């Protein structure tokens, strides 16, 4: 699949778009530069297709974050900058 985070850098809210090429159990996690999880979603079964979700980031401090999208046994990651 694919992963796109917009805008990057982000001020208040990040839009996360991802595409699944097969049915999978999906969860998301946002970690700060120290590795602490600042946001996560429960694992849910999703069918093949395109998905969009939003993550509120206005309450988070400025800095670098890594978004992880877990799809069954695979992980896609994207570095995001919070301004």
């Amino acid at each position: 699949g694919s992963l796109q985070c917009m805008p990057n850098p982000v001020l208040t809210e990040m839009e996360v778009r991802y595409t699944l090429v097969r049915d999978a159990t999906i969860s998301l996690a946002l970690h700060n530069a120290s590795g602490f999880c600042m946001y996560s979603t429960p694992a849910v079964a999703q069918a093949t297709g395109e998905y969009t979700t939003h993550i509120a980031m206005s309450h988070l401090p400025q800095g670098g974050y890594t978004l992880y999208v877990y799809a069954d046994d695979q992980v896609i990651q994207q570095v995001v900058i919070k301004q």
Side-chain angles (χ1 to χ4, degrees):
S2 64
L3 173 64
Q4 186 177 22
C5 301
M6 304 177 299
N8 193 6
V10 61
L11 291 174
T12 58
E13 185 176 82
M14 177 173 59
E15 181 177 282
V16 179
R17 293 182 185 175
Y18 58 94
T19 302
L20 299 178
V21 295
R22 61 178 168 80
D23 296 357
T25 299
I26 303 296
S27 63
L28 289 86
L30 184 70
H31 291 247
N32 67 12
S34 299
F36 291 102
C37 184
M38 307 301 286
Y39 170 87
S40 64
T41 64
V44 293
Q46 293 184 327
T48 302
E50 296 182 4
Y51 294 88
T52 302
T53 189
H54 294 86
I55 299 174
M57 295 186 66
S58 59
H59 65 287
L60 298 175
Q62 293 180 349
Y65 294 83
T66 303
L67 176 70
Y68 297 93
V69 178
Y70 300 94
D72 289 336
D73 58 349
Q74 297 183 355
V75 180
I76 301 172
Q77 65 186 44
Q78 175 84 38
V79 174
V80 178
I81 304 300
K82 165 66 168 73
Q83 287 188 329

